[in-house]
Amino acid sequence: MQKPKGTYDIYGNKAEQMLYFRKLAETLMNMYNAKYFETPIFESSELFHRGVGETTDIVSKETYDFKDRGDRNLTLRPEGTAGIVRCFIENKLYAENLPLKAWYYGPMFRYERPQAGRHREFYQFGLEAFGTYDPIMDAEVISILVNLFKLLGLKGIKVNINTLGDKESRENYREALISYFKPYINDLCDDCQNRFEKNPLRILDCKVDGEKDIMKCAPKITDYLNDESKKHFDKVKEYLDAMDINYVVNPNIVRGLDYYTHTVFEVEADIEGFGSQNVLGAGGRYNNLVENIGGPSIPGVGFAIGVERLLLALEMEGIDIRESSTPEIYVIPMGDECKSKSMNLVNTLRLNGFRVEMDYNNRNLKSNFKNADKLNVKYIIIVGEDEINTKILTIKDNYSKEEYKVNVYELIDFLDEKLGDNDEN
Ligand code: HAM
C-alpha cells in the first residue's frame, strides 16, 4: 500500500520541525492576543463556492468533493478562511468584543499537480482578524508574517503588496479590463475566455497566459482606485513604514481567491534555487466575505502561511528549528527483579519533567551502553540490587564518563542542577 499522490508522511526530523513550528506559532499568536480556532476539515461544498468563488481555480478545479452517506455535498477544505468565517457567523462571535483575531493551524487539501513545495495535502498556519475597517489591522497582519520570518532568522524574503480597492474601484477596473482584453480574446486560453465575462481579474492570474505580453501591458488597478481606496492603501504603507517593514508595491498581485477587497499581499522566498512555488504566505482584506456567507456586514483581514514551504525555505538557508527531543536520562534495570523499582524511578523522573528512556528488553550492559550512545543521552542510571538496598545510585555522565554516587532522595535536586531547571518541560 502506498500513500495517495501528493501526500506525505510526517516523521523524524520533519515531525520535530513541524512540532516546533506549531509551538512557535502559538507563542507568537499569544503576543498578538489572537485566539486559537479549530474548524472542521470538511464543510458543505456551498461554503467554498460562495466564499472562495466559483470561478477560481481552487473551486473549479482543485477541491476534493464528495457526497456522504446522507447525500450531502461536502468538500475537504482547500483553505482556512471560509471555515473560520462560517464559524464566526454561526456562533455569533460578531456580537462579542471586536476586533477578534482567530488563528488556526491544520491540513488543507487541493488537487494540484504535486511538485517541490506543492502538495495535495498541506499545512497552513493562518490568522483572521474581524471587526475593523482601519488599515492599521492590514499592516499588523502583514507585520505578523514578517516578524515570524525574522524570529526564525529567515533573511531571503520579499513582501509584495497591492490593493484591489473597494467595490466601486473594482467595478471600474473590471470594465477597463474587459475593454482591454476584448480585441485579444481569441489569443487567450479556454479558461481565460470563460473568465473574460465572469471575472476578468482572474485572467491576470492565469498560469497559462501569465507570461504573454498582453498580460504585462494590461491596465493596472492602481489607475482605477477611487479616493477612499487610495487613502486606505496609503495608510497601510504608512503603518508598514512606521514598523520598518520593507515591501514592494506589485500591481500584478491579484490573488487566486475571490474574496479580497483593498489590501492584498504575498511573501516570497527570495532564495536562489527555491523553485516556482515560492510564495510562503499570503492574504489580504475581505470586507464583504462575512456578509456574502450570510452574516452581518463585518470586515476581515488575514493571512495564511504554507508550513511545508516555510520549512523548505529554512532548510535552504541552513536554519534548523528542531527542538531537542532526545532523552536526557537512560535507566538500566539489572534484570527482571529490578524492573519495578526502575519503573518507579523512571515514573518519578518523568513526573519531575525529565525526558527519560529505559531498557525494556533485559539487554546486557554492553548493548545498553551502546543504545544510550545511540540515543545520545547525557546520564545513565543503573538500577541493580545493590542500589535498591543502599538507596545510593550511580549516575554516569555519558559524555564526560564521570560517575557520581547520589542518594535516591537527593536525585531530583542533583539532576535539576546538572541538567538545568527544566522550565520548558
Ligand atoms: P493562498 O494563497 O491560497 O491563500 O494560500 C496561502 C499559502 O498556502 C500559500 O502562500 C502557500 O504558501 C500555501 N499553499 C497553498 N497551496 C499549497 C499547496 N498546494 N501546497 C503547499 N502549500 C500551499 C489562502 O489560502 C487564504 N485563505 C489566505 C488568507 C487568509 N487570506 C485571508 N486570510
Side-chain angles (χ1 to χ4, degrees), residues 318-332:
I319 300 168
D320 190 353
I321 60 164
R322 271 174 306 150
E323 186 176 28
S324 174
S325 63
T326 52
E328 299 158 306
I329 302 161
Y330 187 68
V331 175
I332 306 174

Side-chain angles (χ1 to χ4, degrees), residues 79 81 110 112 117 119 124 128 255 259-260 279-280 302 306:
E79 57 101 56
T81 312
R110 295 184 193 177
E112 292 190 273
H119 311 279
Q124 274 188 352
E128 312 298 341
R255 309 279 301 121
Y259 44 65
Y260 295 110
V279 180
L280 304 183

Side-chain angles (χ1 to χ4, degrees), residues 290-343:
V290 176
E291 205 173 356
N292 289 348
I293 292 183
S297 174
I298 289 184
V301 49
F303 73 78
I305 289 177
V307 176
E308 293 80 0
R309 283 189 202 175
L310 175 60
L311 295 184
L312 202 62
L314 290 169
E315 199 179 308
M316 291 194 69
E317 288 208 342
I319 300 168
D320 190 353
I321 60 164
R322 271 174 306 150
E323 186 176 28
S324 174
S325 63
T326 52
E328 299 158 306
I329 302 161
Y330 187 68
V331 175
I332 306 174
M334 297 297 289
D336 260 348
E337 48 300 345
C338 301
K339 273 189 168 163
S340 294
K341 287 283 181 213
S342 300
M343 209 47 205

Side-chain angles (χ1 to χ4, degrees), residues 352-404:
N352 277 278
F354 296 102
R355 300 193 298 271
V356 187
E357 183 54 299
M358 68 181 289
D359 171 32
Y360 302 94
N361 289 338
N362 299 332
R363 288 180 236 226
N364 63 34
L365 264 184
K366 197 172 156 203
S367 77
N368 262 319
F369 285 146
K370 247 195 191 161
N371 196 34
D373 280 344
K374 249 195 238 160
L375 292 169
N376 195 23
V377 295
K378 172 85 168 130
Y379 291 108
I380 298 173
I381 306 178
I382 300 170
V383 181
E385 266 179 44
D386 267 2
E387 282 79 10
I388 293 172
N389 292 334
T390 59
K391 298 196 171 20
I392 304 286
L393 297 170
T394 305
I395 321 285
K396 186 173 164 197
D397 184 322
N398 200 34
Y399 299 168
S400 71
K401 307 296 173 200
E402 259 174 279
E403 284 193 1
Y404 305 90

